[in-house]
Amino acid sequence: QVQLVESGGGLVQAGGSLRLSCVASGSIFSINAMGWYRQAPGKQRELVAAIRRDGTTNYADSLKGRFTISRANAQNMVLQMNNLKPEDTAVYYCNVLTIWGSDSWGQGTQVTVSS
């Protein structure tokens, strides 16, 4: 099993930046991909960005160019969020997909962007 802990959320003004981190522990060898999802009130959870085992990435079209996903190391995934907008307000969740098709979720971290 993989355990995930997110950090870095908070309150920021529109146009500002935040840097989210996700630290994984446990069966790290089993991870095929890691990603960030977000869920705003009344909305479905949506993919923000993901990074695969080979380092390739993908982003939600609306976020491409503002958000960057990367790995600080094998256990630490980072989401750099720039030029934040009020519509980015959501709970952001770290997610991992294992080699056997199961996934794990962090507890979420709140990001609030004020106008």
Side-chain angles (χ1 to χ4, degrees):
Q1 59 182 345
V2 179
Q3 296 80 43
L4 304 171
V5 179
E6 304 103 328
S7 63
L11 175 65
V12 65
Q13 291 181 314
S17 298
L18 284 174
R19 186 174 185 267
L20 305 184
S21 295
C22 175
V23 177
S25 61
S27 301
I28 298 171
F29 69 91
S30 69
I31 298 174
N32 251 354
M34 302 183 70
W36 289 95
Y37 289 72
R38 69 183 185 184
Q39 188 165 19
K43 302 285 186 64
Q44 294 185 0
R45 188 172 298 186
E46 64 177 351
L47 174 69
V48 174
I51 184 166
R52 286 179 279 272
R53 201 169 187 173
D54 63 2
T56 58
T57 60
N58 64 283
Y59 298 87
D61 288 342
S62 63
L63 305 178
K64 194 171 185 178
R66 296 194 296 120
F67 290 13
T68 303
I69 191 169
S70 63
R71 289 181 178 176
N73 53 52
Q75 294 80 38
N76 192 340
M77 177 180 64
V78 172
L79 181 70
Q80 179 66 45
M81 305 187 294
N82 297 323
N83 192 24
L84 285 162
K85 303 175 181 180
E87 53 262 41
D88 295 321
T89 296
V91 177
Y92 285 69
Y93 296 91
C94 182
N95 168 262
V96 300
L97 179 67
T98 68
I99 57 176
W100 51 81
S102 63
D103 60 0
S104 297
W105 295 89
Q107 81 290 338
T109 185
Q110 177 71 48
V111 172
T112 302
V113 184
S114 62
S115 300

